[in-house]
Amino acid sequence: MKTTTSTTDGGSAQPAAATVARHGARARARLPRPGGLRGRLLLTVVVAALLSAVTATALAYRESRDAVLKRAQNAAVEDFRNRVEHLAGELDVPTDLRSMAHFATEVSAGLHDSLVVVQYRDFTAASDPSADRTRITPALRAAVRAHPRVSLQRVEREGQPWLVLGAPVGLEPPAPGGDSAQPSGIEVFAVVSLAEEKRDTAALVRSVTTGLLPVVLLAAVLALLAARTVLRPVRKLAGATRRLAAGELSTRVEEKGHDELAELAHTFNETAGALEHTVGELRDQEALARRFVADVSHELRTPLAAMTMVSSVLEEDADQLTPDTAHAARTVSAETAKLARLVDDLIEISRFDARAAALHAHDVDVAETVRATLTTRGWAHLVETELPPGIRARLDRRRLDVIVANLVGNALRHGAPPVTLTVRAADGQLTIAVADHGPGLTSEAARHVFDRFYKADSARTRSEGSGLGMAIALENARLHGGTIELAPPTPDTGALFTLRLPLRTESPS
């Protein structure tokens, strides 16, 4: 007997899919928040493992469900066909309700957990008269009338799956070589429960989904191990990079293997080596330049001393010389003095570069020291001062004199009166502020004001200053543990420089 199958699956995969989704959500919630490379690698591996497990679970559910349902379906069809053929001879045609009910009961007895309905013309009998017969659909009834063989359909009612079978009852067995018996007009339907098969499939899904958590945990452990293997050389490389940035140019990393990380380590070592070589050359050149400046400056001091003495004598006797000769003598004296100051500044800056500058601090009266600086240079009447008495600090008197002289000298030369100088002591800090009322400095000049040989007016290639004064003043302030700040310009003042030094009771180390 041939069988035709018409299947309607009303969503029997939904409960299992929901279970898988819930497990997947819980697994994702247990993941650490991705931060660095370790977190991203861990998240990638765990998500990949989770997706693989969910996919495998879904495939296993589908295959197992189809196999279980196919086996149950084939068994039910075989039992139904055998029962109907075996009991068909007991039916008389035309038949009555009692015979139909007896036939339905006998057929149902051979099918597990089933409802059998027998229909003949307008008469219907069932093995359980109170059972729901709506599971026998019009489509299945039409298939039974159209085909002289067993037809079937899977339906779902109230969340439970059912297999509905139907077949016509022939008057006599088919003749040899015939396709079917002569129809009798009697139709038999059987509704077989698939709840047990559904429970078996759900149990299989639960067992598979229960294994998701160990799979995800194992994937996380493997990801951590892999991340550790990958990130250990990366961390070493990061540490080496920080040491290299801090000035340890001899830093190198170990090269292991022949993978991309080993290639990265090799590239880092080559870069570090090239950087060390280049910086070494630059340092050697810088040292040679400093040594050259220092040597030249020292070598010039002796002839400059003689030139200064001779020019001073010529300048003193200039009134006795002819006008042209007197002008030449005064010019030589002025230029010799400038050259002497430049040499002194070069020698001073070379001491800072060689870290040979020493601080000779003593307990000094700040107001008296500043007043002496102004008086010695003849600036006392040009500067408005605010010098509170009684402020004492341990300072190098000569270096403080250099700082104040540079700040006030620049204000007098490049600013506009009145030039003010204010001394304050508060919160363990000494401040000396020098301000003028000129146009102030441009933003470009403010960025370079402490650079060596920088002059705000680039068109003036010749000036009284050497271009080293502010750089020397800043170095002297740093030697005291302080600094010099340039305040932003305001409508009321021009350039405002503030020297900030710590008020120490002991000599700075």
Side-chain angles (χ1 to χ4, degrees), residues 1-6 70 73-74 77-78 81 147-152 165-166:
M1 182 179 291
K2 297 181 181 179
T3 303
T4 60
T5 303
S6 173
K70 187 69 174 177
Q73 171 184 301
N74 292 339
V77 168
E78 185 68 22
R81 182 173 53 240
H147 303 286
R149 60 181 69 88
V150 176
S151 299
L152 61 88
L165 307 172

Side-chain angles (χ1 to χ4, degrees), residues 177-380:
D179 291 336
S180 61
Q182 182 180 355
S184 63
I186 300 174
E187 298 172 357
V188 182
F189 299 92
V191 181
V192 181
S193 174
L194 296 178
E196 185 175 349
E197 285 73 15
K198 179 180 179 181
R199 286 193 296 270
D200 293 341
T201 305
L204 177 61
V205 171
R206 283 194 298 272
S207 64
V208 173
T209 53
T210 303
L212 284 178
L213 180 58
V215 169
V216 172
L217 293 178
L218 178 61
V221 172
L222 294 177
L224 287 174
L225 293 177
R228 182 179 180 183
T229 302
V230 173
L231 295 180
R232 183 185 295 114
V234 174
R235 285 195 297 269
K236 291 182 179 179
L237 187 62
T241 304
R242 287 191 291 270
R243 292 194 299 273
L244 189 67
E248 299 180 21
L249 301 182
S250 61
T251 301
R252 301 292 186 274
V253 294
E254 185 179 1
E255 302 177 20
K256 287 185 178 180
H258 303 282
D259 55 6
E260 290 79 0
L261 291 174
E263 183 179 355
L264 179 61
H266 179 72
T267 303
F268 174 84
N269 290 337
E270 285 186 341
T271 305
L275 180 62
E276 183 179 19
H277 177 71
T278 302
V279 172
E281 288 184 345
L282 292 175
R283 286 175 176 173
D284 292 341
Q285 294 175 5
E286 184 180 7
L288 288 175
R290 290 174 179 173
R291 180 64 181 272
F292 174 77
V293 171
D295 290 346
V296 170
S297 299
H298 281 87
E299 291 297 326
L300 287 176
R301 296 191 77 172
T302 300
L304 275 176
M307 292 173 61
T308 301
M309 180 180 63
V310 172
S311 62
S312 299
V313 172
L314 291 175
E315 187 176 12
E316 290 177 357
D317 297 337
D319 294 338
Q320 303 175 10
L321 303 175
T322 63
D324 292 341
T325 304
H327 176 71
R330 293 188 179 95
T331 301
V332 168
S333 178
E335 293 299 324
T336 301
K338 290 181 182 180
L339 183 59
R341 286 194 296 272
L342 175 60
V343 169
D344 289 339
D345 289 344
L346 288 173
I347 292 175
E348 184 71 8
I349 207 72
S350 66
R351 290 195 184 103
F352 287 115
D353 290 339
R355 293 181 174 82
L359 191 68
H360 302 287
H362 302 282
D363 188 62
V364 299
D365 187 303
V366 177
E368 289 297 328
T369 303
V370 171
R371 190 176 292 110
T373 299
L374 299 179
T375 302
T376 301
R377 291 165 176 80
W379 297 339

Side-chain angles (χ1 to χ4, degrees), residues 23 44 103 129 162 171 177 246 273 298 305 319 340 347 407 463:
H23 280 280
T44 301
F103 181 77
W162 301 88
L171 290 177
H298 281 87
D319 294 338
I347 292 175
L407 295 180
S463 64

